Amino acid sequence: MHGQRIQPTDEQMSFLQIVFYIFAAILIGASIMVVTVRNPVRAALFLVLAFFNAACLWMTLEAEFLAIALVLVYVGAVMVLFLFVIMMLDIDIAQMRAGFTNYLPLGIIVASVMAGELILVMLSGEFGSAQMPRPGGHGETYSNTEALGQLIYTDYVFAFELAAIILLVAIIAAITLTLRRRPQTRYQAPEEQVRVRKQDRLRIVQLPSGKEDDA
Amino acid sequence: MDWVLNLWFELPVLVQIGVKIVAIVAPLMVAVAYYTLAERKVIAYMHVRVGPNRVGPKGLLQPIADAVKLMFKEMIVPTHADRYLFIIAPVLALAPALGAWAVMPFTDTLVLADVNASLLYVLALTSMGVYGVVVAGWASNSKYAFLGAMRSAAQIVAYEIAMGFALVGVLMAAGSLNLREIVLAQSGGLHQWFFIPLFPLFLVYLISGVAETNRSPFDVAEGESEIVAGFHVDYSGMGFAVFFLAEYANMLLISGLTVLLFLGGWHPPAPVAPFTWIPDLFWFLGKLAVIAFLFLWFRATFPRYRYDQIMRLGWKVFIPVTLVWITVIGVAKFFTPIGHWFG
């Protein structure tokens, strides 16, 4: 689908096309590996590779802000936390494979429904190089980041602010759900540690020496 | 001279870019090698020792000897390690550290790729450096390496947020995501450099930079007194050398970025005669060297942070500080008479 969008008009286009096919091939290969590879850590790393190549594809469509944000947010933060969790799991691969035949029918049904839906959407006539021509033709001074910022903070400012508030609520909800104050846990209070003075902790006493006691 | 230029422009673009990349990476590698020597010498003098002084005059050939030694050592892959990931991990650590140099403007004209969103590009690439550490720790199949990887992952994610917010402040002040334009926004002398109006962000950025590169006093990922050498405990020979290169290349990168973002890049402290005699490139490299020296000074001076203190500093101190200062910049820029100072 994407391949048709990039029409080779000159030498540069055909170079872009080569680049596109390289990234697309790696992207598809990595995506297949995500679902077929047995080791979950490797699967997560292939997902990272897939994200990275998707970002490269967006870059060829002059959407550099989205591309870099994808790398920054998904590759740089989300997937690191994912890996963090997956690495700590103690997964028994043999046990996981035991249920394979049981789940196979359900899996096939879900997969075929999803594939059918995708095919319906694709064939609906809403997609294709006619409906979505390759964006581009912008001059050298065009900045995708600036253009996006202009749109977000003018035309779509309410939608954008609303999304921000929803995310804020989600953050607060996540923190409240996981925050447990257990009375037996001892916390450090750095501000009290800083405020402490010598006379609060140290007491100098004059003890009579031992000899006089004996006498 | 003209025929050389003509010949240069006759070359295919790919060859031209390749030559430019070599022209950046080769001096960078030499700089990294001698940065390690500088570290040993500087710390030695701070400890009232002498440091390496046996190989070559005054020990100047020591990094070469180290490199040769590491190259000829056997690279051992531990039993039950994930072989491919074990070998890929150092590459994953080094590649972003070198890739980010592509957009580094050394002077107004000397830059490999003058892209629009170069600040974002740098942030995205440096955020990928953590994979080298995490993958190495996991693939080694060793407790200590794994502990180091876990610590590093949590620490880097925490400090990246503060670092990102510090960069938001800079781009608000400069009004651009392009590193070259950010430096140009600071032209006109010392008082225009962003470290004055953005002083809290400058501190946050510098300290987060030390934390991001896993340097002392934030070096819990290596923590040689607790977990041997952390994530790279099982690496030997070239694998270890590549991790080493990545760490020092990252330190130089963070130093360079600090100079570009807060210390006026290639601009002299005042645009008047005695300062302007020195070429721009030397101003940039000189400032970079000062910040790079700070990294070594920190290591010789501060004891290592405890892990919970690191987390507290990142989440509860730096992030609120940056958030407040971003608001201050916004208000100051548009509603106060000193707004021009903020860019």
Side-chain angles (χ1 to χ4, degrees):
Chain A
M1 187 186 79
H2 290 278
Q4 292 163 356
R5 275 203 228 163
I6 298 166
Q7 296 298 330
T9 50
D10 55 4
E11 201 178 305
Q12 203 181 10
M13 268 308 167
S14 65
F15 177 70
L16 205 56
Q17 218 171 19
I18 296 169
V19 170
F20 167 80
Y21 280 117
I22 293 172
F23 285 135
I26 300 175
L27 173 59
I28 293 172
S31 313
I32 293 172
M33 292 303 274
V34 172
V35 285
T36 52
V37 80
R38 290 196 192 157
N39 188 325
V41 172
R42 283 190 178 187
L45 287 171
F46 273 115
L47 191 57
V48 170
L49 184 63
F51 277 143
F52 193 77
N53 280 285
C56 293
L57 283 183
W58 288 357
M59 197 84 88
T60 62
L61 291 171
E62 296 186 15
E64 74 260 11
F65 179 79
L66 284 179
I68 296 175
L70 180 74
V71 173
L72 188 60
V73 176
Y74 281 90
V75 176
V78 174
M79 286 311 293
V80 174
L81 295 177
F82 242 83
L83 266 183
F84 195 94
V85 174
I86 292 173
M87 282 176 176
M88 304 244 247
L89 296 177
D90 185 21
I91 298 173
D92 187 359
I93 294 167
Q95 201 189 348
M96 268 172 62
R97 290 182 59 78
F100 184 72
T101 45
N102 294 342
Y103 295 122
L104 190 61
L106 185 67
I108 288 175
I109 291 170
V110 172
S112 50
V113 166
M114 280 172 69
E117 282 174 353
L118 275 179
I119 290 168
L120 275 179
V121 171
M122 294 290 176
L123 294 181
S124 64
E126 298 288 326
F127 289 91
S129 47
Q131 285 85 356
M132 293 182 185
R134 180 176 187 282
H138 300 291
E140 255 185 41
T141 53
Y142 171 78
S143 165
N144 173 252
T145 318
E146 240 176 83
L148 198 68
Q150 292 281 359
L151 272 184
I152 284 179
Y153 289 104
T154 53
D155 293 0
Y156 299 102
V157 67
F158 292 117
F160 182 68
E161 296 294 330
L162 201 63
I165 290 170
I166 292 172
L167 281 174
L168 185 66
V169 170
I171 291 171
I172 295 170
I175 292 172
T176 12
L177 283 177
T178 49
L179 186 73
R180 281 177 297 167
R181 285 236 175 254
R182 277 168 292 192
Q184 71 270 28
T185 316
R186 307 185 66 159
Y187 291 98
Q188 207 181 358
E191 60 278 6
E192 282 174 26
Q193 290 177 326
V194 170
R195 231 183 289 131
V196 94
R197 290 287 166 268
K198 191 171 84 179
Q199 52 268 31
D200 302 338
R201 296 280 166 88
L202 189 71
R203 191 165 54 92
I204 296 174
V205 288
Q206 288 285 343
L207 279 181
S209 69
K211 266 193 177 162
E212 287 174 19
D213 268 356
D214 292 337
Chain B
M1 218 32 218
D2 276 350
W3 67 273
V4 180
L5 275 178
N6 285 336
L7 190 70
W8 170 252
F9 287 117
E10 285 297 307
L11 287 170
V13 179
L14 277 180
V15 177
Q16 284 188 17
I17 294 175
V19 171
K20 286 180 187 169
I21 291 173
V22 172
I24 291 178
V25 173
L28 178 64
M29 286 291 124
V30 175
V32 164
Y34 278 89
Y35 194 22
T36 62
L37 179 68
E39 168 165 47
R40 293 172 68 180
K41 277 287 190 187
V42 166
I43 292 180
Y45 285 126
M46 286 183 182
H47 291 170
V48 202
R49 294 183 283 120
V50 180
N53 65 347
R54 292 287 154 217
V55 190
K58 306 244 177 218
L60 276 177
L61 296 179
Q62 183 70 43
I64 317 274
D66 288 342
V68 171
K69 185 193 83 174
L70 284 171
M71 258 183 257
F72 286 102
K73 273 200 164 183
E74 185 185 357
M75 192 174 156
I76 298 162
V77 181
T79 332
H80 300 301
D82 192 319
R83 177 173 284 273
Y84 296 107
L85 291 183
F86 188 81
I87 291 167
I88 285 175
V91 182
L92 286 180
L94 184 63
L98 295 183
W101 284 87
V103 295
M104 179 78 81
F106 296 96
T107 71
D108 196 9
T109 46
L110 196 63
V111 49
L112 175 62
D114 187 18
V115 296
N116 271 332
S118 46
L119 187 62
L120 269 180
Y121 169 84
V122 167
L123 194 60
L125 271 194
T126 48
S127 73
M128 287 183 58
V130 63
Y131 280 103
V133 175
V134 172
V135 169
W138 183 79
S140 300
N141 193 32
S142 146
K143 282 189 207 96
Y144 296 120
F146 191 58
L147 280 173
M150 288 290 134
R151 287 175 172 198
S152 177
Q155 179 186 332
I156 288 181
V157 168
Y159 278 85
E160 213 171 70
I161 299 172
M163 216 169 174
F165 276 135
L167 296 184
V168 168
V170 173
L171 78 90
M172 278 173 75
S176 171
L177 277 171
N178 183 314
L179 284 171
R180 200 175 61 85
E181 283 170 22
I182 289 173
V183 176
L184 288 178
Q186 303 174 59
S187 57
L190 187 72
H191 63 286
Q192 292 287 352
W193 296 359
F194 284 155
F195 81 96
I196 300 172
L198 309 183
F199 190 70
L201 298 185
F202 170 62
L203 286 186
V204 167
Y205 186 81
L206 190 61
I207 299 172
S208 304
V210 179
E212 283 272 292
T213 46
N214 284 327
R215 288 291 299 182
S216 178
F218 300 97
D219 57 344
V220 289
E222 284 178 47
E224 63 268 28
S225 56
E226 307 157 15
I227 48 173
V228 198
F231 62 94
H232 61 36
V233 61
D234 281 308
Y235 281 85
S236 53
M238 263 333 263
F240 176 74
V242 171
F243 269 123
F244 216 73
L245 283 180
E247 180 176 332
Y248 285 80
N250 263 326
M251 283 156 67
L252 291 178
L253 179 74
I254 296 285
S255 311
L257 286 173
T258 313
V259 171
L260 291 176
L261 300 173
F262 296 100
L263 299 175
W266 58 81
H267 290 304
V272 289
F275 296 114
T276 45
W277 290 344
I278 301 168
D280 287 348
L281 182 63
F282 289 99
W283 277 114
F284 175 72
L285 294 179
K287 291 176 191 173
L288 193 153
V290 171
I291 303 288
F293 177 77
L294 282 182
F295 274 84
L296 311 182
W297 193 359
F298 289 155
R299 181 171 165 193
T301 309
F302 295 119
R304 186 180 298 133
Y305 262 99
R306 212 173 57 205
Y307 194 71
D308 62 312
Q309 291 171 334
I310 289 183
M311 283 293 138
R312 184 179 160 273
L313 184 70
W315 289 105
K316 292 190 182 172
V317 180
F318 280 179
I319 293 177
V321 165
T322 50
L323 282 176
V324 167
W325 208 255
I326 285 172
T327 324
V328 169
I329 297 168
V331 171
K333 190 166 175 171
F334 293 104
F335 299 108
T336 65
I338 56 161
H340 62 92
W341 201 30
F342 287 83

